[in-house]
mmCIF file with all atom_site columns, all heavy atoms in Angstrom:
data_model
loop_
_atom_site.group_PDB
_atom_site.id
_atom_site.type_symbol
_atom_site.label_atom_id
_atom_site.label_alt_id
_atom_site.label_comp_id
_atom_site.label_asym_id
_atom_site.label_entity_id
_atom_site.label_seq_id
_atom_site.pdbx_PDB_ins_code
_atom_site.Cartn_x
_atom_site.Cartn_y
_atom_site.Cartn_z
_atom_site.occupancy
_atom_site.B_iso_or_equiv
_atom_site.pdbx_formal_charge
_atom_site.auth_seq_id
_atom_site.auth_comp_id
_atom_site.auth_asym_id
_atom_site.auth_atom_id
_atom_site.pdbx_PDB_model_num
ATOM 1   N N   . ALA A 1 292 ? -56.177 19.516 -19.471 1.00 94.00 ? 292 ALA A N   1
ATOM 2   C CA  . ALA A 1 292 ? -57.535 19.008 -19.637 1.00 94.00 ? 292 ALA A CA  1
ATOM 3   C C   . ALA A 1 292 ? -58.335 20.011 -20.478 1.00 94.00 ? 292 ALA A C   1
ATOM 4   O O   . ALA A 1 292 ? -58.288 21.214 -20.222 1.00 94.00 ? 292 ALA A O   1
ATOM 5   C CB  . ALA A 1 292 ? -58.195 18.816 -18.274 1.00 94.00 ? 292 ALA A CB  1
ATOM 6   N N   . VAL A 1 293 ? -59.033 19.515 -21.472 1.00 93.00 ? 293 VAL A N   1
ATOM 7   C CA  . VAL A 1 293 ? -59.830 20.371 -22.370 1.00 93.00 ? 293 VAL A CA  1
ATOM 8   C C   . VAL A 1 293 ? -61.283 19.933 -22.268 1.00 93.00 ? 293 VAL A C   1
ATOM 9   O O   . VAL A 1 293 ? -61.623 18.761 -22.493 1.00 93.00 ? 293 VAL A O   1
ATOM 10  C CB  . VAL A 1 293 ? -59.344 20.264 -23.818 1.00 93.00 ? 293 VAL A CB  1
ATOM 11  C CG1 . VAL A 1 293 ? -60.194 21.157 -24.727 1.00 93.00 ? 293 VAL A CG1 1
ATOM 12  C CG2 . VAL A 1 293 ? -57.874 20.644 -23.917 1.00 93.00 ? 293 VAL A CG2 1
ATOM 13  N N   . ALA A 1 294 ? -62.135 20.869 -21.946 1.00 89.00 ? 294 ALA A N   1
ATOM 14  C CA  . ALA A 1 294 ? -63.550 20.550 -21.741 1.00 89.00 ? 294 ALA A CA  1
ATOM 15  C C   . ALA A 1 294 ? -64.220 20.156 -23.055 1.00 89.00 ? 294 ALA A C   1
ATOM 16  O O   . ALA A 1 294 ? -63.887 20.650 -24.137 1.00 89.00 ? 294 ALA A O   1
ATOM 17  C CB  . ALA A 1 294 ? -64.274 21.749 -21.139 1.00 89.00 ? 294 ALA A CB  1
ATOM 18  N N   . VAL A 1 295 ? -65.123 19.242 -22.934 1.00 84.00 ? 295 VAL A N   1
ATOM 19  C CA  . VAL A 1 295 ? -65.940 18.868 -24.084 1.00 84.00 ? 295 VAL A CA  1
ATOM 20  C C   . VAL A 1 295 ? -66.809 20.074 -24.456 1.00 84.00 ? 295 VAL A C   1
ATOM 21  O O   . VAL A 1 295 ? -67.245 20.828 -23.579 1.00 84.00 ? 295 VAL A O   1
ATOM 22  C CB  . VAL A 1 295 ? -66.833 17.654 -23.745 1.00 84.00 ? 295 VAL A CB  1
ATOM 23  C CG1 . VAL A 1 295 ? -67.746 17.307 -24.927 1.00 84.00 ? 295 VAL A CG1 1
ATOM 24  C CG2 . VAL A 1 295 ? -65.972 16.464 -23.361 1.00 84.00 ? 295 VAL A CG2 1
ATOM 25  N N   . GLU A 1 296 ? -67.005 20.253 -25.747 1.00 81.00 ? 296 GLU A N   1
ATOM 26  C CA  . GLU A 1 296 ? -67.763 21.419 -26.203 1.00 81.00 ? 296 GLU A CA  1
ATOM 27  C C   . GLU A 1 296 ? -69.120 21.493 -25.517 1.00 81.00 ? 296 GLU A C   1
ATOM 28  O O   . GLU A 1 296 ? -69.863 20.522 -25.456 1.00 81.00 ? 296 GLU A O   1
ATOM 29  C CB  . GLU A 1 296 ? -67.952 21.353 -27.724 1.00 81.00 ? 296 GLU A CB  1
ATOM 30  C CG  . GLU A 1 296 ? -68.603 22.607 -28.305 1.00 81.00 ? 296 GLU A CG  1
ATOM 31  C CD  . GLU A 1 296 ? -68.681 22.565 -29.819 1.00 81.00 ? 296 GLU A CD  1
ATOM 32  O OE1 . GLU A 1 296 ? -68.101 21.620 -30.411 1.00 81.00 ? 296 GLU A OE1 1
ATOM 33  O OE2 . GLU A 1 296 ? -69.318 23.457 -30.399 1.00 81.00 ? 296 GLU A OE2 1
ATOM 34  N N   . GLY A 1 297 ? -69.405 22.655 -24.982 1.00 78.00 ? 297 GLY A N   1
ATOM 35  C CA  . GLY A 1 297 ? -70.677 22.877 -24.324 1.00 78.00 ? 297 GLY A CA  1
ATOM 36  C C   . GLY A 1 297 ? -70.674 22.513 -22.848 1.00 78.00 ? 297 GLY A C   1
ATOM 37  O O   . GLY A 1 297 ? -71.689 22.689 -22.167 1.00 78.00 ? 297 GLY A O   1
ATOM 38  N N   . GLU A 1 298 ? -69.541 22.007 -22.352 1.00 86.00 ? 298 GLU A N   1
ATOM 39  C CA  . GLU A 1 298 ? -69.456 21.638 -20.941 1.00 86.00 ? 298 GLU A CA  1
ATOM 40  C C   . GLU A 1 298 ? -68.308 22.393 -20.277 1.00 86.00 ? 298 GLU A C   1
ATOM 41  O O   . GLU A 1 298 ? -67.408 22.917 -20.944 1.00 86.00 ? 298 GLU A O   1
ATOM 42  C CB  . GLU A 1 298 ? -69.237 20.135 -20.778 1.00 86.00 ? 298 GLU A CB  1
ATOM 43  C CG  . GLU A 1 298 ? -70.388 19.291 -21.298 1.00 86.00 ? 298 GLU A CG  1
ATOM 44  C CD  . GLU A 1 298 ? -70.163 17.810 -21.049 1.00 86.00 ? 298 GLU A CD  1
ATOM 45  O OE1 . GLU A 1 298 ? -69.212 17.478 -20.304 1.00 86.00 ? 298 GLU A OE1 1
ATOM 46  O OE2 . GLU A 1 298 ? -70.922 16.997 -21.605 1.00 86.00 ? 298 GLU A OE2 1
ATOM 47  N N   . GLN A 1 299 ? -68.342 22.444 -18.961 1.00 90.00 ? 299 GLN A N   1
ATOM 48  C CA  . GLN A 1 299 ? -67.265 23.069 -18.193 1.00 90.00 ? 299 GLN A CA  1
ATOM 49  C C   . GLN A 1 299 ? -66.410 22.000 -17.529 1.00 90.00 ? 299 GLN A C   1
ATOM 50  O O   . GLN A 1 299 ? -66.883 20.899 -17.232 1.00 90.00 ? 299 GLN A O   1
ATOM 51  C CB  . GLN A 1 299 ? -67.846 24.008 -17.132 1.00 90.00 ? 299 GLN A CB  1
ATOM 52  C CG  . GLN A 1 299 ? -68.497 25.264 -17.686 1.00 90.00 ? 299 GLN A CG  1
ATOM 53  C CD  . GLN A 1 299 ? -68.927 26.207 -16.583 1.00 90.00 ? 299 GLN A CD  1
ATOM 54  O OE1 . GLN A 1 299 ? -69.135 25.809 -15.449 1.00 90.00 ? 299 GLN A OE1 1
ATOM 55  N NE2 . GLN A 1 299 ? -69.059 27.480 -16.932 1.00 90.00 ? 299 GLN A NE2 1
ATOM 56  N N   . LEU A 1 300 ? -65.164 22.348 -17.283 1.00 92.00 ? 300 LEU A N   1
ATOM 57  C CA  . LEU A 1 300 ? -64.280 21.417 -16.577 1.00 92.00 ? 300 LEU A CA  1
ATOM 58  C C   . LEU A 1 300 ? -64.724 21.267 -15.132 1.00 92.00 ? 300 LEU A C   1
ATOM 59  O O   . LEU A 1 300 ? -65.171 22.232 -14.502 1.00 92.00 ? 300 LEU A O   1
ATOM 60  C CB  . LEU A 1 300 ? -62.834 21.923 -16.610 1.00 92.00 ? 300 LEU A CB  1
ATOM 61  C CG  . LEU A 1 300 ? -62.083 21.843 -17.936 1.00 92.00 ? 300 LEU A CG  1
ATOM 62  C CD1 . LEU A 1 300 ? -60.706 22.483 -17.788 1.00 92.00 ? 300 LEU A CD1 1
ATOM 63  C CD2 . LEU A 1 300 ? -61.940 20.393 -18.403 1.00 92.00 ? 300 LEU A CD2 1
ATOM 64  N N   . GLY A 1 301 ? -64.575 20.068 -14.628 1.00 94.00 ? 301 GLY A N   1
ATOM 65  C CA  . GLY A 1 301 ? -64.858 19.830 -13.224 1.00 94.00 ? 301 GLY A CA  1
ATOM 66  C C   . GLY A 1 301 ? -63.757 20.406 -12.340 1.00 94.00 ? 301 GLY A C   1
ATOM 67  O O   . GLY A 1 301 ? -62.722 20.890 -12.813 1.00 94.00 ? 301 GLY A O   1
ATOM 68  N N   . GLU A 1 302 ? -63.983 20.355 -11.031 1.00 95.00 ? 302 GLU A N   1
ATOM 69  C CA  . GLU A 1 302 ? -63.043 20.943 -10.073 1.00 95.00 ? 302 GLU A CA  1
ATOM 70  C C   . GLU A 1 302 ? -61.649 20.331 -10.177 1.00 95.00 ? 302 GLU A C   1
ATOM 71  O O   . GLU A 1 302 ? -60.644 21.053 -10.221 1.00 95.00 ? 302 GLU A O   1
ATOM 72  C CB  . GLU A 1 302 ? -63.576 20.769 -8.648  1.00 95.00 ? 302 GLU A CB  1
ATOM 73  C CG  . GLU A 1 302 ? -62.650 21.364 -7.586  1.00 95.00 ? 302 GLU A CG  1
ATOM 74  C CD  . GLU A 1 302 ? -63.133 21.086 -6.172  1.00 95.00 ? 302 GLU A CD  1
ATOM 75  O OE1 . GLU A 1 302 ? -64.123 20.316 -6.014  1.00 95.00 ? 302 GLU A OE1 1
ATOM 76  O OE2 . GLU A 1 302 ? -62.526 21.614 -5.223  1.00 95.00 ? 302 GLU A OE2 1
ATOM 77  N N   . ALA A 1 303 ? -61.557 18.997 -10.233 1.00 96.00 ? 303 ALA A N   1
ATOM 78  C CA  . ALA A 1 303 ? -60.255 18.328 -10.243 1.00 96.00 ? 303 ALA A CA  1
ATOM 79  C C   . ALA A 1 303 ? -59.461 18.693 -11.494 1.00 96.00 ? 303 ALA A C   1
ATOM 80  O O   . ALA A 1 303 ? -58.251 19.001 -11.420 1.00 96.00 ? 303 ALA A O   1
ATOM 81  C CB  . ALA A 1 303 ? -60.435 16.819 -10.143 1.00 96.00 ? 303 ALA A CB  1
ATOM 82  N N   . ASP A 1 304 ? -60.122 18.684 -12.664 1.00 96.00 ? 304 ASP A N   1
ATOM 83  C CA  . ASP A 1 304 ? -59.428 19.022 -13.909 1.00 96.00 ? 304 ASP A CA  1
ATOM 84  C C   . ASP A 1 304 ? -58.986 20.486 -13.918 1.00 96.00 ? 304 ASP A C   1
ATOM 85  O O   . ASP A 1 304 ? -57.909 20.824 -14.433 1.00 96.00 ? 304 ASP A O   1
ATOM 86  C CB  . ASP A 1 304 ? -60.320 18.731 -15.114 1.00 96.00 ? 304 ASP A CB  1
ATOM 87  C CG  . ASP A 1 304 ? -60.416 17.243 -15.405 1.00 96.00 ? 304 ASP A CG  1
ATOM 88  O OD1 . ASP A 1 304 ? -59.381 16.559 -15.316 1.00 96.00 ? 304 ASP A OD1 1
ATOM 89  O OD2 . ASP A 1 304 ? -61.529 16.766 -15.709 1.00 96.00 ? 304 ASP A OD2 1
ATOM 90  N N   . THR A 1 305 ? -59.814 21.359 -13.379 1.00 96.00 ? 305 THR A N   1
ATOM 91  C CA  . THR A 1 305 ? -59.458 22.781 -13.311 1.00 96.00 ? 305 THR A CA  1
ATOM 92  C C   . THR A 1 305 ? -58.219 22.978 -12.433 1.00 96.00 ? 305 THR A C   1
ATOM 93  O O   . THR A 1 305 ? -57.303 23.734 -12.795 1.00 96.00 ? 305 THR A O   1
ATOM 94  C CB  . THR A 1 305 ? -60.637 23.595 -12.745 1.00 96.00 ? 305 THR A CB  1
ATOM 95  O OG1 . THR A 1 305 ? -61.778 23.439 -13.602 1.00 96.00 ? 305 THR A OG1 1
ATOM 96  C CG2 . THR A 1 305 ? -60.286 25.067 -12.647 1.00 96.00 ? 305 THR A CG2 1
ATOM 97  N N   . LEU A 1 306 ? -58.202 22.311 -11.298 1.00 96.00 ? 306 LEU A N   1
ATOM 98  C CA  . LEU A 1 306 ? -57.046 22.409 -10.407 1.00 96.00 ? 306 LEU A CA  1
ATOM 99  C C   . LEU A 1 306 ? -55.794 21.805 -11.046 1.00 96.00 ? 306 LEU A C   1
ATOM 100 O O   . LEU A 1 306 ? -54.675 22.308 -10.852 1.00 96.00 ? 306 LEU A O   1
ATOM 101 C CB  . LEU A 1 306 ? -57.350 21.706 -9.086  1.00 96.00 ? 306 LEU A CB  1
ATOM 102 C CG  . LEU A 1 306 ? -58.338 22.425 -8.165  1.00 96.00 ? 306 LEU A CG  1
ATOM 103 C CD1 . LEU A 1 306 ? -58.838 21.486 -7.079  1.00 96.00 ? 306 LEU A CD1 1
ATOM 104 C CD2 . LEU A 1 306 ? -57.672 23.658 -7.541  1.00 96.00 ? 306 LEU A CD2 1
#
Side-chain angles (χ1 to χ4, degrees):
V293 180
V295 177
E296 186 176 353
E298 296 183 10
Q299 290 186 337
L300 288 176
E302 180 185 7
D304 285 319
T305 300
L306 288 165

